[in-house]
Each structure stands twice: as C-alpha cells, then as structure tokens.
Amino acid sequence: MEIMEAQTLNIEQAYRAMFYFLEKEYERTKADEIGGLLSFLAWETTGGHGPADPGAWEDWEVAVTAALAIADNAAPNRTISDLP
C-alpha cells in the first residue's frame, strides 16, 4: 500500500472515513458488535442527514474535539472523560 500524502478532512469526511474503516473491519470479522454499531452510525437510513442514532453525531463531535486537543503524533492513551 502506498503512503498517502497528508490531507485535511472536514468533520463529516472524517466521520465517513471512520464508518468505512468499521465497515471494512466488519467485512473481515463479521463481529455482531461492529455490525450493530454500523447500523446506528449509518447515514443511509436518514437520507444523508446524519446518523440513524441522533446522539451519534454529538458523540462524534466530542470525539473530534478530543482528538484535536491532543498533540500531533500522541498515542490515544487517554479517554474522552480524561479531557478538560
């Protein structure tokens, strides 16, 4: 696999990247937990207006804020609840 050039994603593109990553993991593992998560996170059920679970987008915004608060190349060894 070739190394990708650094790019910036907007919050929705990052969400979709996370979804596609989980979808690929589900295809490999067929793990029920991942399949269930994907059904809550899917945009198709809302006609492209956000995740099927309305709270998922708010949770995603919190996760993005947490990720942006961590220094570049830092290991994600803290949980969201550890952040101010």
Side-chain angles (χ1 to χ4, degrees):
M1 176 187 242
E2 73 181 62
I3 297 175
M4 294 178 57
E5 188 176 317
Q7 296 181 9
T8 302
L9 302 175
N10 67 36
I11 192 169
E12 187 175 316
Q13 290 169 321
Y15 182 95
R16 291 179 188 277
M18 176 269 308
F19 186 89
Y20 297 144
F21 174 84
L22 289 173
E23 198 171 47
K24 209 50 158 166
E25 193 64 22
Y26 176 72
E27 288 174 8
R28 278 193 286 270
T29 65
K30 301 297 185 210
D32 290 339
E33 296 84 2
I34 297 174
L37 182 59
L38 286 169
S39 69
F40 288 114
L41 299 177
W43 284 55
E44 291 79 17
T45 57
T46 63
H49 300 304
D53 176 358
W57 185 254
E58 291 173 15
D59 292 343
W60 179 248
E61 290 176 318
V62 169
V64 168
T65 299
L68 291 172
I70 296 172
D72 286 346
N73 296 322
N77 57 1
R78 300 187 309 173
T79 64
I80 289 174
S81 60
D82 293 335
L83 297 173

